[in-house]
Structures are given as C-alpha cells and as structure tokens.
Amino acid sequence: MTTPGGPLALDAWVDTTAEPLAWKVGVATPGLDVERVTPLVPQATHLDITLGAEGVGTDPNTDLRASFKVSAKDQVVFDEELPELSVGGRIDSGVVHLEEFGAVHSAARLAAKGSIDLLNEVVALEQLDAQVPSLAALGKYGAGGLRGSFGYSGR
C-alpha cells in the first residue's frame, strides 16, 4: 500500500484452528516518511525497516513462543540519523532471548545479547559492546564538556 509518506507493506497469516493459535506477520517500510502520515510525529522520521515474526500463542505468561527479526538501514528518527539497526531473537515462557542487537549512530555503536524476563521484569546482559569514538559528540544530548573516547566490551 502507498501512504502519503511512502510505501508500507503488511503481511499476516493466522491459523485459528491451531491450539495454541499459530501466526506470522511481516512489515516493511522501504522509505516511509512518518511525519507525512501523522501530525503526532512532527520531526523528520524516515523508516526503512523490515520486520518479521512468527510463532504460536498470544499470551507471554502462558503459551507464547515466537521468533522475531528487525532490520533497518538509513533511518532518521526524530531528526537523528540511525544508519543501521538489527534486532533478533525469540520469546518463550515469558522470556525474550535477545540473540542479536546492533545499532550504529553518529555518536556510538552498540551491540548486545541477553534476555528480558517479562514476567519478573529482569534484564540479564550476556554481552555488551559499546563504542563512543568521541565523547564530545554527546554534548548534543546534555553531556557537555566531555573529551576523549569510550569503549566497553563485556557483561
């Protein structure tokens, strides 16, 4: 479908006879300017995202088991450039297993793996890699006066 802000593709499949319910969904926004679609987004927000998820069940407390993957490139979100974003993993028994997270921004590069227990509200990082080549670039976000660089790799 074409919106006032550009193309938007939605794809969904549901097997209502399956117990628990089986489903699959896909979304693609190859060049969607969200601020042209809704006044709720007043700043430039340009999306080029592909999202896919499939699984069974709908309730993370009881029967939801699914996998998901989000890939994005050349994003502009509220006037902030985000050249790369990738998120992938699975959910089972109320726990999101984050098998892939990567983001590239002008100020930093991040990568992480871990889990999020939705039922008990616990986040456990197995791996975190963060690189900030220039701490001075964080001044734009209220952290003024910093110099040098920062890097972290670990848990």
Side-chain angles (χ1 to χ4, degrees), residues 79-146:
D79 288 326
E80 289 288 331
E81 293 185 18
L82 188 62
E84 295 177 37
L85 174 67
S86 60
V87 181
R90 57 189 169 80
I91 183 170
D92 191 8
S93 302
V95 178
V96 177
H97 300 277
L98 190 59
E99 297 165 350
E100 171 191 3
F101 171 81
V104 175
H105 182 272
S106 61
R109 297 179 73 92
L110 298 171
K113 292 182 181 181
S115 62
I116 304 165
D117 184 334
L118 301 174
L119 306 176
N120 297 304
E121 300 178 353
V122 175
V123 175
L125 288 177
E126 296 167 11
Q127 176 186 346
L128 175 63
D129 295 306
Q131 302 298 320
V132 182
S134 172
L135 292 173
L138 300 179
K140 176 179 178 181
Y141 309 101
L146 298 175

Side-chain angles (χ1 to χ4, degrees), residues 6-95:
L8 172 64
L10 301 169
D11 192 21
W13 169 84
V14 177
D15 182 353
T16 57
T17 64
E19 184 60 42
L21 183 83
W23 53 270
K24 187 174 183 177
V25 65
V27 177
T29 63
L32 179 66
D33 294 321
V34 180
E35 75 281 5
R36 290 182 173 176
V37 178
T38 176
L40 298 174
V41 180
Q43 296 171 300
T45 299
H46 177 81
L47 303 180
D48 189 348
I49 296 175
T50 303
L51 173 142
E54 65 180 294
V56 296
T58 58
D59 184 348
N61 294 311
T62 58
D63 65 356
L64 178 63
R65 290 186 330 274
S67 62
F68 60 91
K69 174 77 174 158
V70 177
S71 298
K73 61 180 181 167
D74 301 324
Q75 306 297 295
V76 177
V77 180
F78 297 111
D79 288 326
E80 289 288 331
E81 293 185 18
L82 188 62
E84 295 177 37
L85 174 67
S86 60
V87 181
R90 57 189 169 80
I91 183 170
D92 191 8
S93 302
V95 178

